Amino acid sequence: MPVFFRKIISPSLSPNTESDDVWEAVRAFLKPRSWQRGSAIDEIEHWFKDYYDASAAVSFDSGRSALYAILEAFGIGLGDDVLVQAFTCVAVPNSIRWAGATPVYVDIDKRFNIDPKDLEKKITKQSKAIIVQHTFGIPAAMDAILTIARKHNLIVIEDCAHSLGATYHNRTVGSLGDAAFFSFGRDKVLSSVWGGMAIISQKSPPKADQPMAEKVKSPPAGEAGQKLRQIQEKLPYPSRIWIVQQLFHPIAFAVILPLYNLIIGKVILECLKRLGLLSKPVNDQELRGEKPLFMPRRYPNALARLLMRQLVKLKRYTIKRRRTVAYYQEVFQSRNEIIMPKSIPGGVYLRFPILVQNQEEVMMRAKRAGILLGNWYTSVIDPVQVNRENVGYIAGSCPKAEIYARHIINLPTLISEDEARRVVAMV
Ligand SMILES: Cc1ncc(COP(=O)(O)O)c(C=O)c1O
């Protein structure tokens, strides 16, 4: 079949929206009285509290707001350093800076996650917390990280923006540290276009065998959970116009995606973007390292409704993503020019990252074949337009992350077997 008659394959253009999600958006749109407040928010929070056996689960408008609230709840702010991996989204260091703290960048390991060896080298007296990102849904080396955190008395916050449903040695990723946050952005494991959740573990933050004066002055888990809730309750709901804009997103993409390879789909997308009818995942202020005035906010009920519909699909999506990855691994293992992460049991593989010699050429070839490959993290602080200096990244400080950024491509995983064969043929 000629390329232009085929549906576009893309891990970033609303990859997990199905027809029932579109209808749910229409139904939610028709109930304007429950766009902001409503029972779906409580149901989502309960689901997370139960699934992660957490002491608290509190929703926000995004993962970045959830992280900001966690830092505030643990009293992390001015004068404190937060260790975070390079090879991340600008939303993460920005949230650290919103809280008044300083991001300290750590290099990555072969799983694209924080490297425990570099982590230990970068710990100082100012270090208060580590953010552990499970990049692409591949679990980080938690045992080594938790040992280091305990030794240095640091709070561990798991960044589960990519890893809802993942496990690490049969334990649930997201329940291994002191707190965790999740994103329900348009291209995440499950999506409501925007949204985020913060959870606090049952256990208190680890205390090393150190004199009292040197210990982190962080509240026990129960107290942190209460603070998180107080922070949320003081925040406003997003405006009704903003909520309508997000409800429009799955509806618009239901039209755009089948037509994308025909020029008309691209034209519609471009027009909607220019008319400001579709929201951007990261706005211009954030690219400059500034805080948008309207954030953080609460999670609105209309988007919680979209997420409830997606939650029942978690298992099915995870099975499908893992099956695609098993196929990629099988066919790429004999290709010496392709480097891929070792198979990690328990990963959910939001995308499958591989390193190729000629990144740009592969991306162009894919485009011609009707496949839009993902570009996380072709810049160490993503997206490429970010002013890295403004967010405190010192060029050359994380050399491995910089090399990986020049060679990475992200393959889609939530696709059919036939589509996976097309991706492999293109690579
Ligand atoms: C690794 C990672 N952490 C955090 C975030 C922030 O999530 P959100 O977009 O919901 O604020 C993102 C966003 O893409 C991300 O990729």
Side-chain angles (χ1 to χ4, degrees):
M1 198 198 292
V3 166
F4 40 84
F5 287 128
R6 285 182 172 155
K7 191 177 167 216
I8 184 84
I9 303 174
S10 164
S12 51
L13 297 179
S14 270
N16 48 16
T17 304
E18 297 178 324
S19 56
D20 60 317
D21 300 305
V22 178
W23 286 114
E24 188 62 36
V26 173
R27 277 194 292 272
F29 176 76
L30 296 175
K31 295 230 162 109
R33 276 204 272 168
S34 55
W35 282 350
Q36 292 175 320
R37 287 162 215 275
S39 58
I41 303 169
D42 290 343
E43 288 184 49
I44 293 292
E45 290 181 349
H46 277 129
W47 188 94
F48 272 82
K49 195 165 181 286
D50 288 351
Y51 189 86
Y52 287 96
D53 192 21
S55 75
V58 181
S59 59
F60 293 89
D61 65 346
S62 59
R64 64 202 84 171
S65 297
L67 169 59
Y68 164 75
I70 290 173
L71 294 169
E72 291 265 307
F74 278 112
I76 296 168
L78 212 62
D80 298 333
D81 284 355
V82 177
L83 296 136
V84 59
Q85 72 169 73
F87 214 72
T88 188
C89 172
V90 69
V92 181
N94 273 349
S95 300
I96 298 171
R97 295 171 66 255
W98 294 355
T102 306
V104 173
Y105 296 96
V106 180
D107 214 346
I108 54 171
D109 63 9
K110 283 186 180 163
R111 305 174 187 195
F112 305 89
N113 294 327
I114 200 162
D115 177 10
K117 284 195 203 107
D118 196 43
L119 170 67
E120 191 143 32
K121 279 189 213 153
K122 290 191 171 152
I123 292 172
T124 65
K125 275 196 170 155
Q126 278 74 45
S127 308
K128 287 286 149 59
I130 310 170
I131 295 178
V132 185
Q133 176 179 300
H134 304 285
T135 319
F136 301 111
I138 303 170
M142 285 308 287
D143 285 337
I145 294 163
L146 290 171
T147 305
I148 295 169
R150 242 171 261 133
K151 186 170 144 199
H152 296 275
N153 210 8
L154 299 171
I155 292 167
V156 175
I157 302 168
E158 291 182 82
D159 176 347
C160 297
H162 301 177
S163 56
L164 178 59
T167 57
Y168 174 81
H169 297 326
N170 295 323
R171 286 173 288 154
T172 315
V173 162
S175 65
L176 306 170
D178 303 298
F181 67 96
F182 301 81
S183 165
F184 316 130
R186 63 205 66 196
D187 45 14
K188 297 303 184 330
V189 176
L190 300 179
S191 168
S192 59
V193 192
W194 275 87
M197 185 71 67
I199 64 172
I200 305 284
S201 284
Q202 291 284 357
K203 58 186 185 308
S204 297
K207 298 273 181 258
D209 195 12
Q210 286 175 15
M212 201 60 197
E214 285 179 32
K215 285 185 181 176
V216 176
K217 287 186 198 67
S218 49
E223 217 176 286
Q226 282 167 13
K227 278 200 176 172
L228 205 56
R229 181 64 70 194
Q230 285 162 6
I231 293 167
Q232 183 219 43
E233 282 171 354
K234 280 190 199 137
L235 296 176
Y237 281 98
S239 71
R240 299 169 78 78
I241 291 176
W242 186 88
I243 296 170
V244 170
Q245 192 186 28
Q246 311 324 313
L247 289 176
F248 179 58
H249 188 101
I251 301 167
F253 275 89
V255 177
I256 292 167
L257 290 181
L259 301 174
Y260 192 89
N261 280 330
L262 293 164
I263 302 297
I264 179 83
K266 277 184 213 138
V267 173
I268 298 173
L269 179 58
E270 207 40 53
C271 291
L272 294 179
K273 275 189 191 163
R274 285 185 189 206
L275 290 170
L277 295 176
L278 295 175
S279 65
K280 291 181 183 174
V282 178
N283 80 19
D284 296 344
Q285 283 168 296
E286 293 177 288
L287 297 175
R288 294 193 295 270
E290 295 162 13
K291 179 179 171 303
L293 277 178
F294 56 84
M295 287 184 95
R297 292 167 303 188
R298 296 178 76 151
Y299 191 37
N301 187 61
L303 300 192
R305 281 185 62 164
L306 300 191
L307 195 73
M308 276 183 64
R309 190 151 282 274
Q310 287 255 305
L311 275 176
V312 292
K313 303 178 182 187
L314 179 60
K315 208 165 169 190
R316 172 163 62 87
Y317 283 179
T318 303
I319 291 170
K320 196 167 182 178
R321 287 181 172 121
R322 286 181 177 154
R323 198 171 49 208
T324 307
V325 168
Y327 171 64
Y328 286 151
Q329 285 167 332
E330 190 190 317
V331 289
F332 292 146
Q333 66 181 352
S334 57
R335 303 261 308 259
N336 291 336
E337 77 282 18
I338 294 175
I339 298 173
M340 51 182 177
K342 256 202 215 154
S343 184
I344 310 279
V348 290
Y349 297 105
L350 175 58
R351 298 177 178 191
F352 188 62
I354 59 172
L355 302 176
V356 294
Q357 285 300 325
N358 198 334
Q359 185 187 56
E360 213 167 302
E361 190 189 304
V362 177
M363 302 271 259
M364 288 310 292
R365 203 177 332 133
K367 221 172 178 182
R368 285 196 294 273
I371 302 164
L372 281 185
L373 296 179
N375 58 1
W376 293 344
Y377 295 100
T378 50
S379 166
V380 284
I381 314 293
D382 199 67
V384 279
Q385 303 92 321
V386 166
N387 184 324
R388 291 191 286 276
E389 265 179 33
N390 283 9
V391 293
Y393 183 75
I394 301 165
S397 62
C398 298
K400 197 162 179 186
E402 291 183 16
I403 295 172
Y404 277 27
R406 289 198 289 276
H407 293 279
I408 191 156
I409 56 169
N410 327 157
L411 304 184
T413 53
L414 195 60
I415 52 177
S416 67
E417 287 174 32
D418 185 45
E419 289 172 323
R421 275 192 288 275
R422 271 175 64 198
V423 172
V424 164
M426 179 282 301
V427 173

